[in-house]
Amino acid sequence: MTTVALVPQRPVSLWPAAHAADARRPRSQQTKLGASDTVCARRAGYLLHGRTPTDTGEKRKAILGTWLHAGILDAAREEYGWLIERRVEDETVRGHIDAVQLDSTTAAQLPKRLRPTLPAEQTTVEDVKTKGTYQWDNVLRYGASEAEMRQVYLYADLLAAEGFARVNGQRQLARIGPVPVARIRFRFINRDNGDDHVQEIAYEADRARRARWWVQQVRAASSPEELPRTFQGPGLSAICDHCPFRTACWGPIATGRSVQSRLVHDDEERAAALAEYVAVTERIKPLKERQKFLRAQLDGSEPGTYGDNVLGWSGGNPTKVDDIEAMVGLYRRAGLEVPMAPDTPAMKARLKEVGVPVPTRLDHDRRTAVSINVTASK
């Protein structure tokens, strides 16, 4: 008898496996409102009311960020003894703190194996965020967003009020009770080039109370639709573009019209929106004029760091144009008739028909527009 070995078909891509694994992560299956779910009030409402997601956005960047995030935290645990991915919760909200660095007094209450290699001067709650290059300038200039602040203040407040959750794997941590938090730290990692940026702030009880109030407002709503949209919607906000409740929140996208157009119901609302548009335009106009003047002042300046900003330039390159002389040469070598007045579109079409690349040249007298690029210095 001949046996045939069954060889599974070789997968074309690992991304389906990555998406499936991500969907099985505890955070992906969480039904109780988590601190990381407080990005948008209405989105938090959908989660709290158990609504079924209406959209499955592209998650590759998020998955890459998760993998990078996990690797960084594992290294911090192995090298420095940080407490990583520790659960905190109460009856209204829960979450997993990326890293907790205990001070020496608090660390002394734990078994030696759980103590940090070097205790912190003040107990610090740290959150690691991965960002792309296009977001990096905002990170350097403005630091954590309001939503990111709210998330980490909820973590810190839960730790300060309740301590570590009494769950498997951290019962000894839970025994020390509430842990006063003195500092908040954000560690931003650029997932494109590995750059990092650290933002530290002192813990403020008032900001923690405001974060708690935000959660209370979400919980008090009888339906998600009662809650405000935090962002401006698909096409204007990347968060909305990839939100699992995009369609539930804004409705289906109609060809040729923005979803935001549904917010205008009659001529009275249309008149109000138009009046505000005019008012905003009038406020912006002098700023745009000033910006153009400053751009003209900087024209010709050498790229480099000036104060808090880095100046750079792009563009100004020769434009690529069709090389008619080269096309005529190709026609003659192929024995084709060359028009007395070369018909460029027809000659290009003929070359493409026979699979010959259309020759081009650089026109040094015609250049692309020069754009100014300003980023924050490190």
Side-chain angles (χ1 to χ4, degrees):
M1 177 182 295
T2 303
T3 59
V4 179
L6 297 178
V7 180
Q9 183 179 2
R10 183 178 180 180
V12 177
S13 170
L14 288 177
W15 282 116
H19 281 83
D22 183 72
R24 291 192 297 270
R25 293 176 64 240
R27 189 172 296 169
S28 299
Q29 298 176 320
Q30 191 167 302
T31 55
K32 186 177 181 180
L33 186 63
S36 60
D37 298 324
T38 60
V39 174
C40 168
R42 185 171 291 192
R43 175 174 168 175
Y46 285 127
L47 290 167
L48 195 60
H49 286 265
R51 296 288 182 86
T52 302
T54 55
D55 302 88
T56 54
E58 173 56 56
K59 301 181 70 175
R60 295 186 185 189
K61 290 182 180 179
I63 291 172
L64 286 173
T66 298
W67 292 345
L68 179 59
H69 186 273
I72 290 169
L73 291 179
D74 281 344
R77 175 180 54 80
E78 293 176 6
E79 294 298 318
Y80 307 128
W82 291 5
L83 300 172
I84 67 166
E85 289 290 354
R86 296 299 179 171
R87 182 164 155 179
V88 288
E89 65 181 338
D90 64 7
E91 68 281 359
T92 62
V93 66
R94 75 177 183 186
H96 287 80
I97 303 176
D98 282 351
V100 180
Q101 291 179 267
L102 299 174
D103 61 22
S104 56
T105 302
T106 307
Q109 301 177 54
L110 294 172
K112 287 186 177 181
R113 64 182 178 83
L114 293 176
R115 296 176 192 172
T117 305
L118 181 65
E121 293 182 5
Q122 299 173 303
T123 294
T124 302
V125 166
E126 175 165 325
D127 199 56
V128 177
K129 299 292 185 188
T130 62
K131 302 285 185 178
T133 297
Y134 78 99
Q135 299 170 301
W136 199 245
D137 190 57
N138 282 343
V139 167
L140 297 180
R141 290 186 186 278
Y142 310 118
S145 68
E146 181 181 349
E148 290 167 339
M149 284 285 189
R150 180 166 53 245
Q151 175 188 349
V152 180
Y153 264 100
L154 285 171
Y155 291 150
D157 188 60
L158 287 168
L159 184 60
E162 306 291 334
F164 294 98
R166 194 174 293 276
V167 295
N168 289 337
Q170 56 181 54
R171 297 192 183 279
Q172 288 181 310
L173 294 174
R175 291 194 186 109
I176 64 178
V179 179
V181 177
R183 297 195 69 76
I184 301 286
R185 180 188 298 131
F186 289 91
R187 189 179 303 274
F188 297 98
I189 307 294
N190 187 320
R191 57 176 171 260
D192 296 324
N193 59 25
D195 284 353
D196 65 339
H197 174 70
V198 174
Q199 177 188 3
E200 282 194 357
I201 56 175
Y203 176 83
E204 299 177 32
D206 185 58
R207 297 189 77 158
R209 283 192 291 269
R210 293 203 298 270
R212 285 287 194 168
W213 178 87
W214 191 96
V215 173
Q216 291 167 4
Q217 301 311 299
V218 171
R219 294 181 63 84
S222 58
S223 73
E225 288 72 24
E226 291 182 8
L227 295 163
R229 299 178 177 98
T230 304
F231 301 95
Q232 293 183 314
L236 301 177
S237 164
I239 291 176
C240 293
D241 288 338
H242 301 291
C243 178
F245 299 100
R246 182 187 64 208
T247 301
C249 186
W250 291 93
I253 296 176
T255 303
R257 296 189 66 180
S258 68
V259 294
Q260 290 81 359
S261 64
R262 294 192 178 95
L263 302 179
V264 174
H265 302 96
D266 52 40
D267 285 349
E268 184 178 352
E269 292 183 351
R270 192 166 288 105
L274 186 59
E276 185 178 359
Y277 179 87
V278 172
V280 170
T281 302
E282 290 175 350
R283 290 199 298 270
I284 290 175
K285 184 179 179 181
L287 293 176
K288 284 189 173 180
E289 291 175 350
R290 180 62 179 170
Q291 186 185 46
K292 288 179 181 178
F293 176 74
L294 294 171
R295 164 66 177 81
Q297 280 189 312
L298 292 167
D299 194 32
S301 296
E302 289 294 322
T305 301
Y306 300 93
D308 296 331
N309 299 291
V310 178
L311 172 64
W313 303 97
S314 60
N317 302 312
T319 57
K320 187 181 290 187
V321 298
D322 297 325
D323 191 337
I324 298 176
E325 290 185 7
M327 277 193 276
V328 170
L330 286 174
Y331 264 61
R332 286 175 175 162
R333 285 195 295 275
L336 299 174
E337 182 181 353
V338 179
M340 293 298 293
D343 184 345
T344 304
M347 295 174 73
K348 288 172 61 177
R350 184 68 184 278
L351 290 174
K352 290 178 180 179
E353 283 178 8
V354 297
V356 177
V358 175
T360 60
R361 63 180 179 83
L362 295 177
D363 186 343
H364 292 271
D365 295 325
R366 295 168 54 193
R367 293 181 175 269
T368 59
V370 177
S371 299
I372 187 171
N373 303 314
V374 182
T375 57
S377 61
K378 297 180 181 179

